[in-house]
Amino acid sequence: MARKIAAGNWKMNGLKADLAEIDSLAAAIADIESRPEVLICPPFTLLPLMHERAAGTGIAVGGQDCHPEPSGAHTGDIAAEMLADAGASHVILGHSERRSDHAEDDALVAAKARAAWRAELVAIICVGESEAERDAGRTLEVIGRQLAGSVPQGARPENTVIAYEPVWAIGTGRTPTTAEIAEVHAFMRERLVAAHGAAAADIPLLYGGSVKPGNAAEIFAVADVDGGLVGGASLRAADFVPIVAALAAS
Ligand code: 13P
């Protein structure tokens, strides 16, 4: 069985005043039985502060991107080693917003995943089809290609998490049906085992895209869904706590 993970992606949101959400989150999840792993990925500016604030709470912190190189002349970029130095244990890679805003392709995402492993971070590698690709019946082809290109050899449950985030479900309030999520997650499990061996069956598979308190239980009940990568509903503890609770109960 893969471990369960409730991960929050704050994207380009959050100022120092918002760190108080971590206190509320920590207090509320302390009582949750069989608590899953809980991770928040704030913007780089808050990472060390959030790491300090979360000390002793069991809440992990992660980055939202990293550069493939460990250091050098790359203005504005952040190395995986810097994330680790700031207290991160995870890093989100290949999010569709990075793929579209910064033209990241599968080969670059794979290079970033190797960098994450080099710095002993867990790589959360994102894949997902566009609406046009789904409408054209190409969802599994796209996911298969992204997995093959973005997940390097050496992926294991200890160093890799995969997030399935349909591009059209992100920030839209729309989600695939549970049957559609089940189909993609079963396919990802099968492809990961085929490419990386039997141990890859325990790589956690997260669903992301408009996960909310109201739909979390239904989504987490889907076979092969080991947790969620949550955007908007991770920004406030009041929304994220019931999502963590739904995962614990799943
Ligand atoms: P929303 O939960 O806001 O749809 O965002 C999902 C996402 O992109 C998480 O990485």
Side-chain angles (χ1 to χ4, degrees), residues 7-9 11 92 95-97 126 165 169-173 208-212 229-234:
N9 175 8
K11 308 190 179 184
I92 298 169
H95 191 282
S96 62
E97 289 150 15
C126 303
E165 299 206 316
I170 295 174
T172 60
S210 296
V211 176
K212 307 287 177 202
L229 181 54
V230 184
S234 72

Side-chain angles (χ1 to χ4, degrees), residues 21-246:
E21 296 299 326
I22 294 302
D23 306 336
S24 312
L25 178 62
I29 65 177
D31 298 332
I32 294 178
E33 270 182 50
S34 33
R35 193 171 104 182
E37 283 187 23
V38 177
L39 167 72
I40 299 288
C41 299
F44 293 134
T45 47
L46 294 184
L47 198 48
L49 295 170
M50 190 178 284
H51 174 64
E52 278 169 32
R53 191 95 167 216
T57 66
I59 300 171
V61 299
Q64 299 175 12
D65 178 46
C66 71
H67 192 278
E69 299 297 325
S71 63
H74 301 288
T75 303
D77 280 317
I78 304 279
E81 282 76 1
M82 295 169 176
L83 295 176
D85 189 47
S89 51
H90 296 66
V91 59
I92 298 169
L93 298 173
H95 191 282
S96 62
E97 289 150 15
R98 299 287 317 172
R99 290 178 186 262
S100 64
D101 292 358
H102 299 274
E104 295 195 2
D105 62 12
D106 290 329
L108 179 59
V109 176
K112 291 180 174 200
R114 284 189 288 268
W117 297 346
R118 186 187 64 223
E120 296 184 7
L121 299 176
V122 175
I124 302 176
I125 302 172
C126 303
V127 297
E129 82 286 2
S130 67
E131 185 156 32
E133 288 162 342
R134 175 161 284 277
D135 290 347
R138 294 181 48 221
T139 298
L140 297 185
E141 171 203 327
V142 169
I143 302 300
R145 191 183 66 228
Q146 290 177 333
L147 286 177
S150 306
V151 183
Q153 280 305 313
R156 324 184 290 273
E158 297 75 34
N159 66 13
T160 302
V161 172
I162 305 296
Y164 167 53
E165 299 206 316
V167 177
W168 52 274
I170 295 174
T172 60
R174 297 164 58 206
T175 56
T177 65
T178 51
E180 287 167 340
I181 296 173
E183 179 188 36
V184 173
H185 278 239
F187 174 78
M188 295 198 301
R189 191 83 80 200
E190 178 196 307
R191 281 296 170 99
L192 288 168
V193 168
H196 303 281
D202 289 337
I203 290 177
L205 305 181
L206 311 186
Y207 168 80
S210 296
V211 176
K212 307 287 177 202
N215 62 17
E218 188 188 16
I219 290 171
F220 297 148
V222 174
D224 292 310
V225 173
D226 303 310
L229 181 54
V230 184
S234 72
L235 295 172
R236 296 285 162 247
D239 295 321
F240 197 48
V241 168
I243 293 173
V244 176

